[in-house]
Amino acid sequence: MTRPYHHGDLREALLAAAETILETEGLPALTLRAAARAVGVSHAAPANHFGDMTGLLSELAAVGYQRFGAALATAMDAAGPDPRLRFQAMGRAYVGFARAHPGLFVLMFRSERLDASRPALRAAIDASREALRQAISARSTAPAGPLQMAAQAAAYWSLVHGFAVLLLDGRLNGMIKALPGPADADDLLEAMLTTVTLAG
């Protein structure tokens, strides 16, 4: 039995259902039919809002990027004006988002499954990149040309993104288990961010 929806509600309900499936069952389980079934509507309903599976995934990724960018910006604002503290806060927020929303995080960087030309996704990606750019540019301690700035941005992004991916994949488990005392993944992240901050 289908549930009645007011205009505009069904799209958000389908996105919420799709996210739940993604996080609990994984990307292979997420289909238009599965999202429709979870909401209790006809199998054709998602196509009316997203067109096809690429459309649904792209709009879901846009939701992820919106939250991601907001999380980074909020963390940096809370850290205050010190560029080093803002960079550390960004790193914590970046990895924290990945740990809280692993399925969504992986989807966001699966470009082969997404349509980056969709306005919502393009705008969300641009906004999150701007938050990253602010953290990285503020972190710079010396004037640099475009190539040096790009290299620095790539280095810092690779650092936090690589840590997040390795953590989600379980590749850091051995290293974490070998840490002294009660130290855990959070302690390893803090030490890494501190080391990079001091070296910068």
Side-chain angles (χ1 to χ4, degrees):
M1 179 176 174
T2 60
R3 296 169 53 193
Y5 284 92
H6 296 293
H7 180 71
D9 290 351
L10 180 54
R11 181 181 183 280
E12 297 307 314
L14 287 167
L15 285 172
E19 183 177 357
T20 297
I21 294 168
L22 178 66
E23 296 293 0
T24 59
E25 302 178 50
L27 185 56
L30 177 53
T31 64
L32 292 176
R33 282 177 174 266
R37 186 166 52 249
V39 175
V41 295
S42 73
H43 293 161
N48 295 330
H49 291 273
F50 307 107
D52 56 15
M53 192 62 196
T54 297
L56 174 61
L57 293 178
S58 298
E59 294 300 316
L60 185 56
V63 171
Y65 273 110
Q66 289 164 5
R67 290 187 205 157
F68 180 61
L72 298 186
T74 298
M76 289 188 292
D77 287 345
D82 187 307
R84 298 188 176 208
L85 295 180
R86 287 173 67 83
F87 172 74
Q88 291 176 352
M90 180 276 290
R92 288 186 212 102
Y94 197 111
V95 175
F97 181 91
R99 296 175 78 180
H101 311 283
L104 195 55
F105 181 81
V106 171
L107 174 64
M108 288 159 53
F109 295 95
R110 289 287 300 273
S111 58
E112 80 281 3
R113 300 297 304 269
L114 307 177
D115 177 6
S117 69
R118 294 179 77 97
L121 180 56
R122 182 77 264 149
I125 289 174
D126 289 345
S128 67
R129 283 181 177 170
E130 176 59 19
L132 276 171
R133 187 199 64 76
Q134 289 181 11
I136 292 167
S137 63
R139 178 72 185 80
S140 179
T141 56
L147 178 59
Q148 289 74 25
M149 286 296 295
Q152 188 176 62
Y156 288 139
W157 186 21
S158 297
L159 181 80
V160 292
H161 186 78
F163 187 95
V165 171
L166 290 171
L167 189 62
L168 292 185
D169 287 348
R171 301 296 180 90
L172 295 177
N173 290 349
M175 186 179 294
I176 293 169
K177 287 179 182 178
L179 294 174
D184 57 13
D186 292 327
D187 296 306
L188 182 59
L189 174 62
E190 285 298 319
M192 181 187 75
L193 293 172
T194 300
T195 298
V196 172
T197 300
L198 293 174

